[in-house]
Amino acid sequence: MAFETPPSQTASPVPFELKSATLPAVALMLKTSDMYSIRQALTERFAHEPDFFDNDPILIDLSAVREDSAAIDFPGLLSTLRSLKTTPVAVRGGNAVQTEFARAAGLSVAPEVSARVPSQASESPSVQIREVVREVEVIREVPAAQTVLIDKPLRSGQQVYARGADLIVMTVVNFGAEVIADGHVHVYAPLRGRAIAGARGNANARIFAQNMQAQLVSIAGIYRTAENELPADVAGRPAQVRLEGERLIIEPMGNG
């Protein structure tokens, strides 16, 4: 007589676990349904900066065009975004037709959320970086900046980029050298080369130099070169550079 083997009394452990997760992403807010204009604006702005994105997930925000009856060319938009080293994953804020076209293009649909301001007591504060490209608005939320420290002189032709971080340079930045940071740039020595703060659009970033002789200073894409002489009260002195609207302010350290 054959007997069936009784099932095991001990259940096998489940080989996976599902948890809710929050990931940093770039929100691309469309200001028009004219995809040609948007694709052209994106390409003109970012094609020459291959390191601006690093396969960042992209959330396409349709809230500003949800009343537009024109069809959105999602395949064309996704092609452009992927060529710029981004990963489009979802849409939000669109009407029913736009949402269905987005689903057909392989995008998921994210819930609409109201904007929130991070609490000062938050353990993981974030910096919001906003860049307006004609009909396109790119918003990035990234973790609070870390710090990169350089303690060797920088010669002409050398470049240091503190990605997602502040940059502190303890020695001279010679003419022809370049220091770049997504956050602040601090140079505790003569700054004779180029200094770029807020490289990814952070308008709140600043440049601090113990001895300001910069060949070029730039914050969030707004720049000033040595062709415009520095004011006498900052040339060769401790100074800071900050952005006020669309204007760079260069002033003695401690002002502003």
Side-chain angles (χ1 to χ4, degrees):
M1 180 182 296
F3 293 93
E4 294 184 0
T5 303
S8 172
Q9 299 299 315
T10 304
S12 299
V14 178
F16 62 86
E17 184 175 355
L18 296 178
K19 290 186 176 182
S20 176
T22 301
L23 299 174
V26 175
L28 177 68
M29 178 176 285
L30 305 188
K31 301 295 186 66
T32 175
S33 58
D34 180 355
M35 288 300 103
Y36 176 80
S37 296
I38 288 180
R39 295 174 65 184
Q40 184 179 38
L42 285 168
T43 300
E44 288 177 357
R45 173 59 184 86
F46 299 113
H48 302 295
E49 295 188 49
D51 295 327
F52 189 91
F53 297 109
D54 186 14
N55 296 312
D56 296 310
I58 288 280
L59 173 65
I60 301 171
D61 192 324
L62 304 172
S63 56
V65 296
R66 67 178 301 146
E67 303 302 326
D68 197 327
S69 59
I72 294 178
D73 176 18
F74 282 107
L77 176 60
L78 300 189
S79 176
T80 297
L81 290 173
R82 289 174 181 135
S83 73
L84 298 174
K85 295 177 63 176
T86 72
T87 305
V89 294
V91 296
R92 74 178 176 200
N95 58 41
V97 174
Q98 292 167 340
T99 299
E100 286 307 310
F101 275 106
R103 283 198 177 101
L107 296 168
S108 62
V109 179
E112 297 184 51
V113 294
S114 58
R116 61 183 181 85
V117 178
S119 168
Q120 292 182 352
S122 171
E123 295 181 358
S124 300
S126 64
V127 178
Q128 187 177 79
I129 302 175
R130 176 169 298 186
E131 177 150 356
V132 177
V133 188
R134 293 211 299 266
E135 297 88 355
V136 181
E137 184 174 350
V138 178
I139 303 172
R140 178 190 301 272
E141 289 191 0
V142 298
Q146 304 297 311
T147 302
V148 173
L149 178 66
I150 302 296
D151 58 4
K152 295 182 180 180
L154 296 176
R155 300 185 302 275
S156 178
Q158 289 186 306
Q159 181 190 79
V160 174
Y161 175 30
R163 182 183 179 89
D166 291 344
L167 177 62
I168 296 177
V169 184
M170 302 299 297
T171 56
V172 61
V173 178
N174 283 300
F175 186 89
E178 190 170 63
V179 288
I180 308 171
D182 289 343
H184 306 296
V185 172
H186 304 256
V187 181
Y188 295 108
L191 170 58
R192 298 175 182 140
R194 297 182 291 272
I196 299 170
R200 291 197 173 196
N202 182 4
N204 294 317
R206 298 192 182 196
I207 298 169
F208 305 91
Q210 187 175 13
N211 186 327
M212 179 65 74
Q213 306 175 40
Q215 177 184 0
L216 175 146
V217 290
S218 173
I219 296 177
I222 307 298
Y223 67 91
R224 172 176 174 151
T225 68
E227 294 177 358
N228 297 313
E229 292 187 4
L230 292 170
D233 61 343
V234 299
R237 299 173 180 272
Q240 68 166 318
V241 184
R242 59 186 176 88
L243 197 57
E244 189 174 275
E246 296 293 317
R247 187 166 64 101
L248 282 181
I249 306 295
I250 306 177
E251 58 194 2
M253 195 79 76
N255 289 5

